[in-house]
């Protein structure tokens, strides 16, 4: 019998609901929240209120698009964390209510695990090649930068982590300094395409092992601009594309160099990237070039599965369903794991 999972993602500022059947996406809807734009970042209280307003209509739409009714759902998967507590609470409460009303299992999902699991999403509109194990994955999202070894669908080991800011934060914070709204990553990526990546040099931090550090880069970017602005008050506007290209180049170089090191240390050639920053065109291209040189079997997710989406929660929920890993109605969201 087919297994149909309803999946809910509400960890940050996107309300997303997906329907997954036997690993295939039937629908995956995302309601973005524009309300945060004028504040320069996500306002937690506003995010949870917007989730409350969105969750019922988005679920309704996702089921309609998938061509299912509530009784077709075998289990409800939801993001337990990490994320904004108020936002997580909305998705968790909704998932609990749905599961309780239909008397079906409830499945908690770790958002970070789900980003990596996005590589196992099946979708009629894409190439459904999936990694084999062990799989080495660089997870780069707004709040996390990790190198992960996946040993099976649900078994992961973190072998590298950031000691301060995440790569996504480096994009967002440096973007803010240039006057961009949150999230700045996509705009930096777009402008970088028109700039010279070697125009400006920013120091790469030395961090031992497989760990990362991005806070020094943010500070050096800030000081660099402060000094140049003293000489030319229009320095940012006059050099925007080159600044974006140079910044993107240093961030993606740091990421790729560590991933190369991890590949050498582990001997794994099955390699991928995941999370919001994996939408970055410089990182995607850099990974493809490296894979070519190193003969890696490379996995670059489709754009729609890089940033936050419920399909990744659904695919993780599907594998947990097959293993009978269910949660009780007493489960509570966790801001941190
Ligand atoms: O995975 P995600 O959607 O949310 C979290 O779980 O955090 O990642 C969001 C992050 C933000 O920092 C955003 O600036 C970054 O992903 N991002 C990008 C691009 N698209 C999204 N960064 C660089 N280039 C992009 N094209
Ligand atoms: Zn995410």
């Amino acid at each position: 019998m087919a297994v149909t999972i309803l999946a809910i993602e509400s960890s940050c500022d996107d309300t997303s609901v997906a329907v997954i059947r036997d690993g295939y996406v039937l629908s995956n809807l995302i309601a973005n929240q524009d309300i945060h734009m004028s504040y320069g970042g996500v306002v937690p209280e506003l995010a949870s209120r917007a989730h409350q307003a969105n969750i019922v209509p988005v679920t309704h739409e996702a089921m309609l698009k998938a061509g299912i009714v509530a009784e077709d759902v075998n289990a409800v998967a939801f993001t337990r964390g990490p994320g904004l507590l108020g936002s997580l609470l909305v998705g968790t409460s909704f998932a609990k209510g749905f599961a309780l009303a239909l008397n079906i299992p409830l499945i908690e999902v770790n958002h970070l695990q789900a980003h990596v699991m996005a590589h196992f999403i099946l979708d009629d509109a894409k190439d459904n090649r999936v990694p084999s194990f062990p799989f080495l994955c660089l997870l780069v999202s707004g709040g996390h930068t990790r190198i992960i070894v996946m040993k099976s669908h649900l078994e992961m080991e973190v072998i590298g982590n950031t000691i301060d800011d995440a790569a996504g934060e480096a994009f967002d914070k440096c973007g803010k300094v240039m006057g961009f709204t949150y999230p700045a990553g996509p705009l930096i990526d777009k402008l970088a395409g028109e700039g010279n990546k070697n125009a400006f040099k920013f120091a790469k931090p030395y961090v031992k092992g497989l760990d990362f550090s991005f806070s020094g880069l943010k500070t050096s970017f800030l000081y660099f601009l402060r000094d140049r602005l003293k000489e030319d008050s229009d320095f940012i506007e006059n050099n925007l594309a080159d600044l974006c290209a140079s910044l993107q180049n240093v961030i993606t170089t740091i990421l790729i160099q560590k991933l190369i090191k991890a590949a050498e240390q582990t001997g794994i050639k099955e390699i991928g990237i995941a999370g919001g920053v994996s939408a970055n065109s410089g990182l995607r291209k850099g990974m493809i070039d490296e894979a070519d040189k190193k003969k890696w079997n490379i996995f670059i997710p489709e754009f729609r599965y890089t940033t936050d989406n419920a399909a990744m929660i659904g695919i993780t929920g599907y594998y947990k369903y097959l293993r009978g890993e269910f949660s009780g109605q007493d489960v509570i969201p966790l801001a941190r794991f």
Side-chain angles (χ1 to χ4, degrees), residues 9 11-12 111-112 115 139 141-144 275-276 306-309 312:
E9 154 62 31
S11 66
C12 191
H111 181 88
L112 301 179
H115 268 302
L139 166 64
S141 69
H144 297 84
T306 56
T307 47
D308 291 348
N309 66 87
M312 69 186 194

Side-chain angles (χ1 to χ4, degrees), residues 168-189:
E169 268 174 294
F171 274 107
D172 296 335
K173 290 180 178 172
C174 292
K176 194 172 178 180
V177 175
M178 292 188 284
F180 300 167
T181 54
Y182 173 89
L187 184 58
I188 293 175
D189 189 356

